[in-house]
Amino acid sequence: MSVPQPPEPIPGARLLFSLDPAVSHLNHGSFGAVPIGVQRAQQRLRDEMEANPLRFFAQGLIDRITHTRRHLADFLGADADGTALVANATTGVAVVLQSLGLRPGDEVLTTDHGYGAVGFSVARECRRTGAVTRALRVPLAATDEEVVQVVRAGLRPGRTRLLVVDQLTSATARLFPVAAIVAVAREHGVPVLVDAAHAPGMLPTAVRSIGADFWVGNLHKWGYAPRGTAVLVVAPPWRDRVEPLVVSWEQESGFPGRVEWQATMDYTSWLAAPVGLFTLRSLGVDRIRTHNATLAAYGQRVVGDALGVSPTDLPDPGGPGVAMRIVPLPRGVATTLDAARALRTRIAERLAAEVAVMAWGGQGWLRLCGQVYNRTDEYERLAVRLPPLLAQR
């Protein structure tokens, strides 16, 4: 089978970013990259804040946050009155967990594809409350129907107080059928929290159509917003029960204000976020999505070929538009979290390439992303240089 054709570069897109040109930035999914125009918009807001802090915080800031929230919610197809701005998806998860009122004997159900920090948050809340957590094993190559069946079989009505499921997994770059999962959970009376950290900007997401009780997503990855910009969307029955991690002056205003207002936090990342969406729209949202997904597939195939991986053994993300792909590493390489971190550092230092290295299912995986600032030769260069580096172990 031939290597898939890479997409045509989007003219001028690379110049929109201030990334170090001496490094191949192939891991947009971890921390994103903020366009220069968005950086400048945030700096202007910071200058305004520092010119007169009292006026910035005391005169109209809540209205500006509300306006920003409505803009972002509209882009995501979410109810603005049920959407709160938060620092990141993990923060949103923590807000939900501590608002549930878990008790001894309750259960929080996850999958083995879940994000590590979310798993830590679930474990801590269970320790604090006496609840327990359980992870469902979902095979990497499972079909959507099989994923739903795994979830259906794993639910324990009356005991499972929350199901946490990823829309697009971080460790395995796998798209889950979250709307179908939510429907099954609802049949059993189990609330669902969808961790959609990678969805905003990458996937054509209409949050309302998913129907989850809780949905969290980052705008600072694929939405070109400054870091520290995410949303927590809450269904109407839960809004009065959601409490912030820190109580401040908007506590009596209810959700979402009580979650958003954290006193003297720097809100400029939120206020500049619409400029990120403007950048996205200026380049063409569908155009970017197609470009990035096609480029990630090309990179997966090129690097996979170099590592001797058959095309049939390269994991399929389970849907179009996914701009992250994983490649299995040789047997015994990066099979633990510490080993994966060490290999990522070696690749960064010796190959001048930023990638993600994951340890999942007893196997090491290389995760590659596609973004408008990437070029085909960056994946090709990695493909040439990575095998000798791995051979040195």
Side-chain angles (χ1 to χ4, degrees):
M1 297 173 64
S2 61
V3 175
Q5 288 298 309
E8 288 292 326
I10 298 177
R14 189 175 177 86
L15 300 176
L16 297 176
F17 298 85
S18 55
L19 294 165
D20 183 352
V23 176
S24 296
H25 301 273
L26 306 177
N27 185 22
H28 187 88
S30 284
F31 297 102
V34 184
I36 295 170
V38 181
Q39 295 178 42
R40 290 174 176 170
Q42 184 179 16
Q43 187 57 53
R44 288 193 295 270
L45 288 162
R46 284 175 172 152
D47 291 343
E48 177 190 348
M49 176 173 62
E50 298 307 331
N52 192 329
L54 185 60
R55 181 173 62 192
F56 181 85
F57 282 94
Q59 296 182 17
L61 179 55
I62 291 177
D63 289 340
R64 294 170 78 174
I65 293 172
T66 300
H67 176 76
T68 298
R69 177 208 313 144
R70 294 189 178 280
H71 187 95
L72 300 182
D74 180 69
F75 175 77
L76 296 170
D79 179 3
D81 293 332
T83 300
L85 293 167
V86 291
N88 51 42
T90 311
T91 300
V93 170
V95 169
V96 172
L97 288 171
Q98 63 91 38
S99 298
L100 286 175
L102 294 173
R103 296 173 297 180
D106 289 341
E107 174 186 79
V108 178
L109 189 62
T110 64
T111 79
D112 60 351
H113 293 250
Y115 187 59
V118 170
F120 291 147
S121 188
V122 170
R124 186 187 68 172
E125 190 65 17
C126 287
R127 286 195 304 270
R128 191 180 69 83
T129 61
V132 298
T133 180
R134 181 166 55 95
L136 299 174
R137 181 182 178 276
V138 180
L140 184 60
T143 65
D144 285 354
E145 292 77 11
E146 290 169 340
V147 173
V148 172
Q149 288 306 315
V150 168
V151 172
R152 187 190 301 274
L155 294 171
R156 296 174 177 173
R159 182 176 182 184
T160 305
R161 287 288 309 282
L162 183 70
L163 168 64
V164 183
V165 63
D166 294 70
Q167 185 165 344
L168 177 62
T169 67
S170 176
T172 56
R174 173 62 201 269
L175 189 65
F176 276 1
V178 288
I181 291 172
V182 168
V184 167
R186 180 164 288 115
E187 292 173 3
H188 293 79
V190 175
V192 180
L193 165 59
V194 173
D195 181 356
H198 291 276
M202 184 203 294
L203 303 175
T205 299
V207 177
R208 289 188 189 89
S209 68
I210 295 173
D213 300 88
F214 311 98
W215 187 95
V216 293
N218 290 324
L219 273 296
H220 61 251
K221 292 180 183 285
W222 304 90
Y224 294 160
R227 292 172 197 88
T229 306
V231 295
L232 164 63
V233 184
V234 178
W238 290 96
R239 292 173 190 172
D240 290 342
R241 289 182 266 180
V242 172
E243 292 287 344
L245 298 178
V246 178
V247 174
S248 192
W249 286 101
E250 286 299 304
Q251 178 65 16
E252 298 305 312
S253 71
F255 184 86
R258 63 169 52 159
V259 170
E260 291 176 333
W261 187 256
Q262 297 293 298
T264 51
M265 188 180 79
D266 185 348
Y267 299 94
T268 60
S269 61
W270 296 356
L271 300 182
V275 183
L277 296 187
F278 175 80
T279 306
L280 196 70
R281 288 174 169 133
S282 296
L283 293 175
V285 177
D286 291 339
R287 182 188 189 190
I288 289 175
R289 286 171 175 160
T290 300
H291 171 277
N292 292 350
T294 305
L295 189 58
Y298 175 81
Q300 180 195 42
R301 186 63 175 278
V302 168
V303 175
D305 283 351
L307 295 179
V309 180
S310 167
T312 58
D313 292 331
L314 292 173
D316 188 319
V322 176
M324 301 194 303
R325 297 281 185 131
I326 58 173
V327 179
L329 291 169
R331 186 182 301 274
V333 175
T335 58
T336 67
L337 180 60
D338 286 344
R341 288 172 172 167
L343 178 57
R344 188 210 66 79
T345 300
R346 287 178 62 210
I347 292 172
E349 293 176 348
R350 300 189 187 186
L351 306 186
E354 294 292 353
V355 300
V357 180
M358 309 292 190
W360 184 86
Q363 163 91 45
W365 303 87
L366 182 76
R367 193 188 73 188
L368 300 170
C369 299
Q371 188 48 265
V372 296
Y373 51 73
N374 291 130
R375 301 186 304 259
T376 57
D377 65 285
E378 294 177 301
Y379 305 94
E380 294 160 359
R381 185 165 56 249
L382 178 65
V384 170
R385 302 179 68 190
L386 182 60
L389 178 72
L390 296 179
Q392 293 172 9
R393 66 188 174 90

